[in-house]
Amino acid sequence: MTTTLPAPGRFSTPAPTRPALPPVPPAAPAVCPVERWALRSAAHDLAAALTGVAFDEPCRPERQRALLVFSAGVLRGVRGLAEAPGLPAACDAVEAATPLFASDISAGAPRLAGAWTLVADLLAGAAGEPHEHEDLAQCERRFRAAAGTAGFVVPWFLDACSPRERVELVRTAPRRVRLALRLAEDGWLALRDAVRGV
């Protein structure tokens, strides 16, 4: 029995291939519940304080300075971490209203209060479920990297934690974070109280 083999053919040209798609950039990590609560509560504090000042609540120069420092720190955090439709424009409104408040409290407070109220409304959301400490430590690092100096950011982040989260984070945090907290927490709390008019 003989088998016939097909005659060798010519080499065929490869079929055209689709061009490679550009790589998909990794999605940015979602803002964690503690970060979201820190941003939202600080924006709410600013909105409430500035609304009070707009309605003739006392605002001495020390409180005005505290409002300006706190506003600048919180704005850095919002710009660095939060994403919501309309939020960039609301942050721009805060920046635009700040110089007037810095030069004239009575004239600038209503506009800055309106801008921070809009930011607080856009950030509104539940605090969410508590984190396991490994996740929380990563969130604290991201928050610190995006929101500014450790002396402002570390106490702000820990203020938003539940007591259990705070204990876990302090227990597992690097030495520099614990040092920043020890050196800066009292000053940060005094700044927040000045913003609130306490």
Side-chain angles (χ1 to χ4, degrees):
M1 176 173 189
T2 59
T3 53
T4 12
L5 295 173
R10 302 178 92 184
F11 290 107
S12 58
T13 58
T17 58
R18 272 193 319 202
L21 295 173
V24 178
V31 175
C32 86
V34 176
E35 289 171 314
R36 187 169 56 246
W37 181 250
L39 295 171
R40 183 180 179 274
S41 62
H44 176 76
D45 281 348
L46 284 162
L50 287 159
T51 299
V53 171
F55 283 101
D56 293 329
E57 195 175 284
C59 186
R60 295 197 169 129
E62 300 80 24
R63 187 177 186 200
Q64 179 191 24
R65 278 192 296 277
L67 283 161
L68 289 168
V69 169
F70 201 75
S71 180
V74 174
L75 187 62
R76 267 193 311 274
V78 172
R79 282 203 187 275
L81 287 159
E83 292 180 9
L87 197 54
C91 290
D92 291 345
V94 168
E95 278 190 7
T98 299
L100 181 59
F101 179 74
S103 63
D104 186 337
I105 295 171
S106 298
R111 191 168 162 205
L112 192 54
W116 272 114
T117 299
L118 179 57
V119 171
D121 289 346
L122 291 169
L123 291 173
E129 295 298 317
H131 277 256
E132 294 302 320
H133 65 82
E134 293 85 2
D135 296 334
L136 192 59
Q138 291 174 359
C139 292
E140 186 278 329
R141 279 194 300 275
R142 184 175 66 237
F143 194 75
R144 189 165 16 101
T149 60
F152 186 86
V153 174
V154 172
W156 178 20
F157 186 84
L158 265 84
D159 187 57
C161 291
S162 71
R164 184 188 67 79
E165 289 168 336
R166 182 184 172 95
V167 167
E168 286 297 327
L169 186 58
V170 170
R171 187 176 61 80
T172 60
R175 184 170 180 251
R176 69 181 181 281
V177 172
R178 293 194 306 270
L179 182 63
L181 183 63
R182 186 167 58 242
L183 294 176
E185 186 172 32
D186 289 343
W188 187 88
L189 291 172
L191 179 68
R192 188 199 58 191
D193 288 346
V195 165
R196 292 177 175 176
V198 177

